[in-house]
PDB file of all heavy atoms in Angstrom:
ATOM      1  N   GLU A 218      26.522 -15.666 -72.538  1.00 43.00           N
ATOM      2  CA  GLU A 218      25.229 -16.025 -71.975  1.00 43.00           C
ATOM      3  C   GLU A 218      25.137 -15.314 -70.640  1.00 43.00           C
ATOM      4  O   GLU A 218      26.055 -15.267 -69.873  1.00 43.00           O
ATOM      5  CB  GLU A 218      24.987 -17.482 -71.864  1.00 43.00           C
ATOM      6  CG  GLU A 218      24.809 -18.163 -73.231  1.00 43.00           C
ATOM      7  CD  GLU A 218      24.464 -19.602 -73.026  1.00 43.00           C
ATOM      8  OE1 GLU A 218      24.691 -20.126 -71.913  1.00 43.00           O
ATOM      9  OE2 GLU A 218      23.942 -20.260 -73.963  1.00 43.00           O
ATOM     10  N   LEU A 219      23.885 -14.787 -70.366  1.00 42.00           N
ATOM     11  CA  LEU A 219      23.681 -14.119 -69.095  1.00 42.00           C
ATOM     12  C   LEU A 219      22.525 -14.961 -68.490  1.00 42.00           C
ATOM     13  O   LEU A 219      21.690 -15.530 -69.152  1.00 42.00           O
ATOM     14  CB  LEU A 219      23.224 -12.661 -69.300  1.00 42.00           C
ATOM     15  CG  LEU A 219      24.288 -11.730 -69.703  1.00 42.00           C
ATOM     16  CD1 LEU A 219      23.720 -10.332 -69.957  1.00 42.00           C
ATOM     17  CD2 LEU A 219      25.444 -11.599 -68.666  1.00 42.00           C
ATOM     18  N   PRO A 220      22.406 -14.845 -67.122  1.00 42.00           N
ATOM     19  CA  PRO A 220      21.299 -15.516 -66.455  1.00 42.00           C
ATOM     20  C   PRO A 220      19.967 -14.940 -66.849  1.00 42.00           C
ATOM     21  O   PRO A 220      19.842 -13.759 -67.152  1.00 42.00           O
ATOM     22  CB  PRO A 220      21.634 -15.227 -64.926  1.00 42.00           C
ATOM     23  CG  PRO A 220      22.983 -14.790 -64.857  1.00 42.00           C
ATOM     24  CD  PRO A 220      23.328 -14.207 -66.253  1.00 42.00           C
ATOM     25  N   HIS A 221      18.932 -15.843 -66.961  1.00 41.00           N
ATOM     26  CA  HIS A 221      17.616 -15.420 -67.307  1.00 41.00           C
ATOM     27  C   HIS A 221      17.107 -14.476 -66.094  1.00 41.00           C
ATOM     28  O   HIS A 221      17.747 -14.424 -65.075  1.00 41.00           O
ATOM     29  CB  HIS A 221      16.708 -16.584 -67.381  1.00 41.00           C
ATOM     30  CG  HIS A 221      15.660 -16.436 -68.413  1.00 41.00           C
ATOM     31  ND1 HIS A 221      14.963 -15.236 -68.634  1.00 41.00           N
ATOM     32  CD2 HIS A 221      15.243 -17.246 -69.384  1.00 41.00           C
ATOM     33  CE1 HIS A 221      14.112 -15.441 -69.632  1.00 41.00           C
ATOM     34  NE2 HIS A 221      14.233 -16.598 -70.153  1.00 41.00           N
ATOM     35  N   GLY A 222      16.051 -13.753 -66.380  1.00 41.00           N
ATOM     36  CA  GLY A 222      15.538 -12.845 -65.382  1.00 41.00           C
ATOM     37  C   GLY A 222      15.268 -13.423 -64.076  1.00 41.00           C
ATOM     38  O   GLY A 222      15.451 -12.847 -62.990  1.00 41.00           O
ATOM     39  N   ASP A 223      14.719 -14.717 -64.061  1.00 44.00           N
ATOM     40  CA  ASP A 223      14.414 -15.371 -62.860  1.00 44.00           C
ATOM     41  C   ASP A 223      15.601 -16.242 -62.352  1.00 44.00           C
ATOM     42  O   ASP A 223      15.407 -16.923 -61.307  1.00 44.00           O
ATOM     43  CB  ASP A 223      13.137 -16.263 -63.023  1.00 44.00           C
ATOM     44  CG  ASP A 223      13.297 -17.226 -64.111  1.00 44.00           C
ATOM     45  OD1 ASP A 223      14.408 -17.401 -64.658  1.00 44.00           O
ATOM     46  OD2 ASP A 223      12.313 -17.901 -64.461  1.00 44.00           O
ATOM     47  N   GLY A 224      16.657 -16.299 -63.041  1.00 44.00           N
ATOM     48  CA  GLY A 224      17.861 -17.048 -62.621  1.00 44.00           C
ATOM     49  C   GLY A 224      17.710 -18.475 -62.839  1.00 44.00           C
ATOM     50  O   GLY A 224      18.583 -19.254 -62.456  1.00 44.00           O
ATOM     51  N   SER A 225      16.659 -18.967 -63.582  1.00 43.00           N
ATOM     52  CA  SER A 225      16.469 -20.345 -63.772  1.00 43.00           C
ATOM     53  C   SER A 225      17.235 -20.946 -64.930  1.00 43.00           C
ATOM     54  O   SER A 225      17.555 -22.126 -64.877  1.00 43.00           O
ATOM     55  CB  SER A 225      14.929 -20.620 -64.015  1.00 43.00           C
ATOM     56  OG  SER A 225      14.545 -19.975 -65.189  1.00 43.00           O
ATOM     57  N   GLU A 226      17.624 -20.129 -65.832  1.00 43.00           N
ATOM     58  CA  GLU A 226      18.454 -20.623 -66.982  1.00 43.00           C
ATOM     59  C   GLU A 226      19.213 -19.430 -67.586  1.00 43.00           C
ATOM     60  O   GLU A 226      19.199 -18.354 -67.097  1.00 43.00           O
ATOM     61  CB  GLU A 226      17.433 -21.166 -68.028  1.00 43.00           C
ATOM     62  CG  GLU A 226      16.384 -20.109 -68.502  1.00 43.00           C
ATOM     63  CD  GLU A 226      15.457 -20.776 -69.567  1.00 43.00           C
ATOM     64  OE1 GLU A 226      15.848 -20.763 -70.685  1.00 43.00           O
ATOM     65  OE2 GLU A 226      14.286 -21.095 -69.147  1.00 43.00           O
TER      66      GLU A 226
END
Side-chain angles (χ1 to χ4, degrees):
E218 290 187 341
L219 290 178
H221 216 317
D223 58 5
S225 60
E226 56 181 282

